[in-house]
Every structure is written in C-alpha cells, then in structure tokens.
Amino acid sequence: MHFAIALLLVLALACAASSLITQNQTYAWYSQRYSERTAGLIMALHLDDAFHSPWFIAITAFLCLNLLLCNLLRLPRLIRRTQAETRPESALKLPGDVSAQGVADPGAVFQRLRMPKPTPCKTGDGRDALFAARHPAGLWGAWVCHLGILLLILGFSLGQMTQQQYTVYGVPGQIKRIGDTECFLTIDDFRVDKREDGSVAQYTTDITVENVASVGTSGGSASISVNHPATLCGMKFYQNATGWAAQVDVYKDGKPIQQEVVCAGDYMSVKDKEGLVVMLNALYPDYVMTPGVGPSTASDQLNNPAYLYSVYYQGQVIGMNALMNGEEITIDAYTVTFSNPQSYTLIQVKVDRFTFLALIGGLVTMLGLALALYVQPARVWAIRQDDGLWALYGQSRKGGALFRERFNKAIDQRSQDHASD
Amino acid sequence: MLQIENTLFTIVMLAYFASMILYFAFIAVKKDAVARVAVGLQIAGFVLHTAALVCRGIGAGRLPLTNQYEFATSFAWGLCLVSLIFVIRFKFPVLGAFAAPVIFLIIGYAAMQSKDIKELMPALRSNWLGFHVSTAIIAYGAFGVSFVLSIIFLLRDRMKASGFLDQHIPDREKLDMISYRSVSLGLLFLTFTIITGAIWAERAWGSYWSWDPKETWSLVTWIIYAIYLHLRLRKGWRGRSAAIFCVVGFICVMFTYLGVNTWLPGVHSYA
Ligand code: HEM
C-alpha cells in the first residue's frame, strides 16, 4: 500500500510538472523560451514529450503491476470474506462495532436500520439468535475499482501502440487515398452552415469510402459533422477543420496544360516542367494590406480574395507575392492563375480498436467507486439473554461513526416507543 | 428572459449575502432561531438561483454551462446545493456559516464576468457537454464542502471547548466522516466528469485523451483524492492529516478550474 501511495504521488507530481512545460517543441524553442541549460535538461529528461517518456511509462507500469498483484492476492480473501459476511457463525462471536443491551423487540430495530428480515439461528452455546446482513457487494468496491483502472490503462496503452491516424483534406469532387491503406475517400459535398450573425453553426461533409482491395464489402457513404463522426471500412471519420483552397491553372504558351484545386499550405508540381512547384501559402478572402502590419483579412466573406503564393524551381524560391483574382504569374513560357476560392474540409481518420476497452474500464471504475463509497455492507445480530431480553450488535466495515449513530438512534427510538406504550 | 435572469441574479447575490451575515450573527449571538432564518434565506436564494439559471437556459436556447460567467454561477449553485444538503442532513448550520463566504466569493467572481451570450462554436454543441459540465459542478461543489468541513475541523482543534461548540459542531470523528462523505460524492462525480469529457472529446476531436492541461489537472485532482482515500484506510491518517489533505485537494480543484484557464493554454481555454 505504501508503495502504491508513493507511486500515485509521484504520478500526480509528474503530471502537474509536465503540464507546466509546453509539450512537443524543439530544443531551439525551449532554449529561446528558457535558457540553453534548461532546454538541455528538458530534452535529456524527455520533458518535451513527458507523457510518452520512458520514465512516465515506467511509473504507470509499476502502478499497474502493483494494482494487478494487489487484486490477485486479495481475491481469495475477498471471496472468503464475502461468504463469511452473510453467515451468522462468523458474527455471533464478535463484540460488534456498536451494541445495546436489554432490547425487547429486536425485529423493530432491524426494520428501523433497514436490514433484511433477520434469520433465526443459535449461538455456539445454544442461545437463540437473529442475524441479518446487508449489501455484501460493497466489499467488492475497491477490487472492482482497481480492475476498472487496470482495464482503462490497458485499453489506453494498447490504443496508443496500435492506433492508425490519417488526415484527409480536399474539396467536393476530389477522391483521396487514405494514408497508405487500400481505402479511398470521395468528398461528395462540404457545407458550412452559418447563423444570421455570420457565426458558424456546423461543418458537414458528405463522404463515400471504398476499399479497393475488397470491393463493396465494407464501404459506403455517410454525412459527418463536428461531434457526429461516422464509421466506414472499419475506420472512424471525424469532421475536424476547414480552410481555404483555390483552383490553380497552368498555361504554356497560352494553352491550358494543368488544373488542380490546391488547399492553403499545399503545393502543386507543374507536370510539364520538372522541378517547378507552385505553393499556395495562404488565401485571404477579404484582403487588406496594412503598412507596417502586413496582409490580413477583414472578414470571412469572399469580398476581395487574394492568394499569397511562392514559386520554387529546383528547390529554390524564384517568386513570392500576393495575387488578386484575374492576375497571373509568368515564368518563362508558363503562366499560372488562381481562381475560384472555396472552403476545403479536413477530415481526421482513425482506427483505434481499443477505445471500447478504455470505455469499459471507465465504466467499471465508476461502478467500483459507487460500490466502494456508497454501498455500505452492514450486519446486525441479536442474542437472547437469560432475562428474555435481547443484546443487539452491529458492524459496518465502512459506516464508522455514522453507522454507530444510526444504530444508537434506532435503539433510542425503541425506548421512546416503549415510553409512549 | 435574460432581463429576468439579470434581475434574479442580483436578488440571488443579495440573498446569499444576507444569509452569510445571518450565519455570522448566529455564531456571534448563539441563537438557533437566527440559524434557521439564515438557512431559510439560503434556501430561498438557491431556489431563485435555480430560476435564474433556467431563465438563462431558455434565453440562450441551450444549457447555461458554456462560458466563464455561466460556469462560475453554476459552480456557486452546485456548492450551495451540496452545502444545503449537508447542513440539513446533518443538522449542521455552522457548515452553512463557513460555506456562505465561499459561495458569495464565487458568485461575486461570476458577477465580474461578461454576461453576453455568444453563439456556440460547433465543437461545443453536444449533449455530452451538458453531462460533462453538470457533473463537474456537483463534484466541485462537494469538494468545496469537504474543504469547508476540513477548515472547521482544523479550527475546532484550536477552539476552547464550550457548550455551543459541542451542540453545534459534530465531534471530531463525525466531522471527519462527513468530510469523507463529501469527498466520496465529489470523487464519484469527478470520475463521471472525466469519463463524459473523454467521450465528448472523442466525438468532437477524434481523441478521448490528449493530455491537454485541463485534462491533466483533473487527473491530478483525481489522483490526489484517490491518495486521500488510501491514506484514510490507514488509521493514523484520519482527522487532522486527512483534513489538511482535503484542503490541498481543493486547491488543486481551484487550480484546475481557474489556474489552468489563466496560465496554461489548451482546448479548454474557452470554458
Ligand atoms: C479512487 C479510486 C480508488 C479506490 C476507491 C480505491 C480503494 C482501495 C481500497 C479500499 C484499498 C484497500 C483494500 C484493503 O486493504 O482491503 C485499496 C488498496 C490499494 N489500492 Fe486502491 N483505490 C482506488 C484507486 C487506486 C489507484 C488509482 C491505484 C493505483 C494505480 C490503487 C492502488 C492500490 C493498491 C496497490 C492497493 C493495495 C492493495 C493491497 O494492499 O493488497 N488504487 N484501494
């Protein structure tokens, strides 16, 4: 137990400390933010990705081992204890946590304590006795809670180790391969629903997914929106983000030779000229140029679209500027134009076969906690004394002072009842 | 509707303030009748507070649980609810006297926030959000009560024995047990909060746990209270040490609620 508490404390401290350091940055970033020495320390201790670091995994693994051993070792004792809890023999010898003498009507006290109907039995020395036990399931709370936590950590870890994650983005009409899988995603439609005040209410993409390796087996179509993912081909599709895209046309000597829709941040290679690449750095729907500040957009409306581009040849930048609708870039015999600005959709695709295990773990933990904290096992027994009155005893492993108070109240009420008789 | 909510909110603040003053008066003059009026006023404030939240919900067309103002006023509501339950269940108006300033502070913080109703971004439009935040309110409320009880516990040790004390503050063991009950309630609801939050995050962002600072700190809080439970299992850790631990736990709760939003960036920065 001491070891488990120490590990839990270390885990809490590790989590707290790691949350104070911005995660997943580079050495350069940390040395600029802190100092070179601190940055070196952060990198050496893996504090830049603390939650996936060997020491964090080791603490968690120790905790799991501790929990597993604790649960395994306690299981036989717990089964024995649960059986004993409902058997009078184990109780009648005990002094109880609380007791009262001289009770005339023990049945009424059992009732007031909301115990089940007591079973008549005999003590070792042959006296009449009554016994009732309530909620023995409460004994299992900690065990079930620990089991839930184990399942939760197992589900989470297996998920982290085996999950596949891809990002697909594009505009309606495009067909995209999902990562290196055999599945292809068609973006059938993409809608941005706006409210009267112009704020976005919902993003929705209609998609069709097909597995070319096993045609027609598990593909299909679905509509996905934020908070409403869909599962197709064994993968889960989430509406994740949006951005701007534009149609890029390339002409050679005035004749069209290539046309593609390019998303902001993405590039297009000119097929006719190896090494020539056009990149759409950003798209400003309502372009304004403020001296000293630079380019920006005044609104989300397509009032005055401008395209910020770069052109590369053999890896070297050969041009960079902002272009308006209808303007063109000329590179030798090639001309490039941007037009038809539109929203693209960004879809996250995920395969995590162990999410359900983590969910079950979470629910089992909840159940265990409810059992541990709210289901109070209790047993009450009565032994007839020589004078014909009864001695009453009560025991509750978790009830403590509150159980004793309720017990005494039930007894007091008895004497009040007597007084009014 | 929002106009009504505004008026109700002002009345609620006054009612909580008046009940706080009456609770203090009860401790000063040691008259049970004053305590009864204080509890009555707190109940009236609570009923009006509930009405104010309902009005805001109707006015906004959604659950009033999505920005700093709404969460702060709901937090005060949750603390008021849980403290009233404990005050009435354990006939313990002194608890009310200690909880009242905390409730007043939180509702005062709410009053300083912007009450504007902004339309929700798509990620926040989810039923899971309702479960997530409403369970958080009860959890925070219960931890708040355990904090107040622990303060009473620690002060009781320093106070001279008197008839008033014995009559109105439960003995050490019972006080400790009541505090344990409120931690139990808080921990159960915090677990619920974390699980519903994870389900919501999975649906909205495709990842049920991303070590976002708010997630991490709610886990830290959860672990702190889990440690508290384990320490209680060893006899020596009841009473004073457990009370100190509860105070530390509540500091973690407040950091998760306010500190994370203020100092650490993450997906929860809007709430
Ligand atoms: C908040 C939820 C939890 C509850 C209600 C809980 C409850 C308990 C209880 C009642 C015991 C004592 C059982 C006995 O002595 O009969 C116990 C022991 C223990 N707990 Fe927990 N626990 C929780 C979470 C955890 C966590 C998160 C860990 C670590 C990952 C953990 C690790 C342990 C260990 C190692 C023991 C010692 C087992 C032994 O001595 O045989 N528990 N817990």
Side-chain angles (χ1 to χ4, degrees):
Chain A
M1 177 84 105
H2 287 89
F3 187 55
I5 292 175
L7 277 177
L8 278 174
L9 199 60
V10 170
L11 189 70
L13 289 175
C15 289
S18 308
S19 76
L20 303 178
I21 299 170
T22 310
Q23 298 286 292
N24 295 312
Q25 301 295 331
T26 58
Y27 172 79
W29 192 93
Y30 291 118
S31 54
Q32 200 179 28
R33 174 91 191 250
Y34 309 106
S35 67
E36 292 212 348
R37 248 182 80 185
T38 316
L41 204 67
I42 288 175
M43 298 316 263
L45 296 176
H46 297 275
L47 288 171
D48 58 317
D49 191 13
F51 301 109
H52 301 101
S53 66
W55 57 263
F56 191 83
I57 292 170
I59 299 174
T60 316
F62 270 124
L63 265 180
C64 289
L65 195 68
N66 204 314
L67 260 181
L68 186 68
L69 286 177
C70 163
N71 258 18
L72 284 179
L73 292 177
R74 280 201 301 146
L75 188 59
R77 206 175 75 208
L78 197 55
I79 293 172
R80 277 201 306 275
R81 195 193 273 183
T82 313
Q83 286 167 346
E85 183 79 6
T86 47
R87 285 204 200 113
E89 308 86 78
S90 63
L92 296 179
K93 299 190 286 283
L94 299 174
D97 296 339
V98 58
S99 61
Q101 305 291 326
V103 179
D105 179 10
V109 179
F110 277 93
Q111 233 174 24
R112 269 185 230 115
L113 285 168
R114 276 190 251 130
M115 298 299 290
K117 203 169 147 28
T119 345
C121 49
K122 292 270 185 214
T123 61
D125 52 4
R127 289 168 192 266
D128 286 338
L130 293 168
F131 173 85
R134 188 184 68 186
H135 304 326
L139 294 175
W140 286 79
W143 198 89
V144 174
C145 183
H146 292 158
L147 177 72
I149 294 165
L150 271 174
L151 292 177
L152 183 67
I153 298 179
L154 189 70
F156 181 71
S157 312
L158 288 174
Q160 293 277 304
M161 285 188 275
T162 60
Q163 73 179 13
Q164 296 152 34
Q165 212 172 158
Y166 312 101
T167 308
V168 177
Y169 54 91
V171 295
Q174 288 187 327
I175 300 176
K176 299 271 177 149
R177 184 172 180 181
I178 302 172
D180 51 0
T181 68
E182 299 300 319
C183 294
F184 285 80
L185 182 148
T186 309
I187 300 168
D188 298 318
D189 193 14
F190 176 53
R191 297 179 296 281
V192 181
D193 303 328
K194 292 198 173 168
R195 302 188 187 92
E196 275 169 16
D197 66 355
S199 64
V200 176
Q202 187 55 286
Y203 301 100
T204 309
T205 309
D206 296 336
I207 55 170
T208 301
V209 181
E210 222 180 324
N211 186 340
V212 291
S214 54
V215 183
T217 49
S218 55
S221 298
S223 218
I224 56 170
S225 52
V226 180
N227 274 314
H228 303 282
T231 304
L232 294 168
C233 283
M235 299 182 205
K236 211 157 173 183
F237 295 82
Y238 302 86
Q239 176 67 55
N240 207 290
T242 182
W244 288 103
Q247 178 180 319
V248 184
D249 286 279
V250 184
Y251 302 85
K252 186 178 181 185
D253 299 326
K255 286 203 193 68
I257 56 166
Q258 195 176 344
Q259 183 185 75
E260 272 180 38
V261 175
V262 177
C263 300
D266 223 344
Y267 60 85
M268 173 183 129
S269 302
V270 177
K271 291 185 186 124
D272 195 61
K273 177 100 175 161
E274 203 176 327
L276 184 62
V277 170
V278 179
M279 177 156 185
L280 176 61
N281 298 75
L283 194 157
Y284 301 102
D286 198 356
Y287 180 70
V288 278
M289 183 69 185
T290 321
V293 177
S296 62
T297 188
S299 73
D300 255 1
Q301 307 295 317
L302 280 166
N303 295 333
N304 181 30
Y307 313 87
L308 189 68
Y309 72 88
S310 326
V311 182
Y312 295 84
Y313 185 64
Q314 307 287 18
Q316 301 290 320
V317 184
I318 57 167
M320 191 180 194
N321 208 342
L323 213 63
M324 309 305 289
N325 259 350
E327 293 181 342
E328 49 187 48
I329 319 164
T330 308
I331 312 133
D332 299 334
Y334 300 91
T335 312
V336 180
T337 62
F338 293 93
S339 60
N340 197 10
Q342 54 194 295
S343 295
Y344 74 80
T345 175
L346 189 141
I347 297 164
Q348 192 170 336
V349 188
K350 207 161 174 185
V351 185
D352 182 346
R353 294 191 178 82
F354 295 99
T355 303
F356 81 96
L357 188 59
L359 181 63
I360 290 176
L363 297 178
V364 173
T365 307
M366 278 286 300
L367 175 73
L369 263 178
L371 282 177
L373 304 175
Y374 281 93
V375 179
Q376 311 256 341
R379 31 193 211 164
V380 175
W381 61 99
I383 299 175
R384 197 201 290 270
Q385 307 294 299
D386 295 336
D387 57 5
L389 294 173
W390 297 75
L392 248 100
Y393 303 88
Q395 187 194 46
S396 168
R397 281 181 204 277
K398 293 188 271 180
L402 296 181
F403 174 75
R404 288 204 296 278
E405 193 180 274
R406 278 191 52 212
F407 185 94
N408 289 331
K409 229 188 207 158
I411 300 283
D412 279 354
Q413 217 172 329
R414 168 202 58 107
S415 47
Q416 280 164 19
D417 293 352
H418 267 288
S420 62
D421 287 350
Chain B
M1 268 301 162
L2 294 174
Q3 196 51 49
I4 301 174
E5 189 243 352
N6 235 332
T7 315
L8 281 175
F9 184 81
T10 312
I11 300 174
V12 168
M13 276 192 70
L14 291 174
Y16 284 162
F17 183 72
S19 91
M20 179 174 78
I21 298 296
L22 279 170
Y23 271 127
F24 291 166
F26 154 64
I27 296 202
V29 301
K30 303 186 170 58
K31 289 253 179 336
D32 284 353
V34 182
R36 278 197 291 278
V37 181
V39 174
L41 249 176
Q42 196 188 344
I43 295 176
F46 175 76
V47 171
L48 292 176
H49 199 167
T50 312
L53 288 173
V54 170
C55 286
R56 186 165 179 97
I58 296 171
R62 57 172 164 76
L63 281 177
L65 300 170
T66 42
N67 60 26
Q68 284 288 9
Y69 163 71
E70 291 173 348
F71 191 75
T73 176
S74 303
F75 183 4
W77 181 88
L79 184 55
C80 189
L81 171 70
V82 181
S83 70
L84 272 176
I85 290 175
F86 278 72
V87 165
I88 294 169
R89 161 102 168 68
F90 296 106
K91 299 193 182 58
F92 189 8
V94 174
L95 167 63
F98 279 81
V102 184
I103 296 171
F104 191 69
L105 261 178
I106 298 172
I107 203 157
Y109 172 74
M112 291 188 303
Q113 306 299 312
S114 158
K115 287 191 186 165
D116 292 351
I117 292 193
K118 290 220 181 75
E119 293 292 357
L120 293 186
M121 57 192 272
L124 291 183
R125 296 177 58 215
S126 162
N127 290 337
W128 287 107
L129 172 76
F131 289 122
H132 178 56
V133 186
S134 45
T135 49
I137 286 162
I138 303 293
Y140 283 19
F143 288 139
V145 167
S146 80
F147 164 75
V148 170
L149 284 163
S150 304
I151 298 284
I152 297 176
F153 188 101
L154 295 171
L155 288 179
R156 192 190 205 288
D157 270 4
R158 290 169 171 259
M159 285 189 252
K160 281 197 263 81
S162 75
F164 177 77
L165 261 188
D166 291 341
Q167 205 185 336
H168 289 97
I169 303 184
D171 61 36
R172 296 177 91 242
E173 196 192 358
K174 191 170 169 200
L175 206 51
D176 178 68
M177 199 69 197
I178 303 175
S179 169
Y180 166 67
R181 280 291 169 87
S182 62
V183 170
S184 302
L185 183 71
L187 191 63
L188 191 70
F189 273 83
L190 179 63
T191 313
F192 213 171
T193 305
I194 296 177
I195 294 175
T196 48
I199 295 175
W200 172 40
E202 192 274 338
R203 295 184 72 78
W205 291 288
S207 167
Y208 60 88
W209 191 265
S210 358
W211 297 107
D212 163 82
K214 194 110 175 170
E215 288 172 355
T216 308
W217 272 92
S218 58
L219 179 66
V220 171
T221 309
W222 192 89
I223 296 175
I224 295 285
Y225 283 108
I227 296 175
Y228 162 88
L229 279 190
H230 287 85
L231 286 174
R232 276 187 62 91
L233 296 168
R234 296 169 43 209
K235 282 222 158 42
W237 264 87
R238 304 242 159 148
R240 206 177 146 72
S241 332
I244 293 174
F245 219 84
C246 266
V247 173
V248 173
F250 191 64
I251 294 173
C252 267
V253 169
M254 290 312 285
F255 186 78
T256 310
Y257 169 43
L258 290 175
V260 172
N261 290 355
T262 315
W263 292 304
L264 310 173
V267 287
H268 279 86
S269 310
Y270 45 75

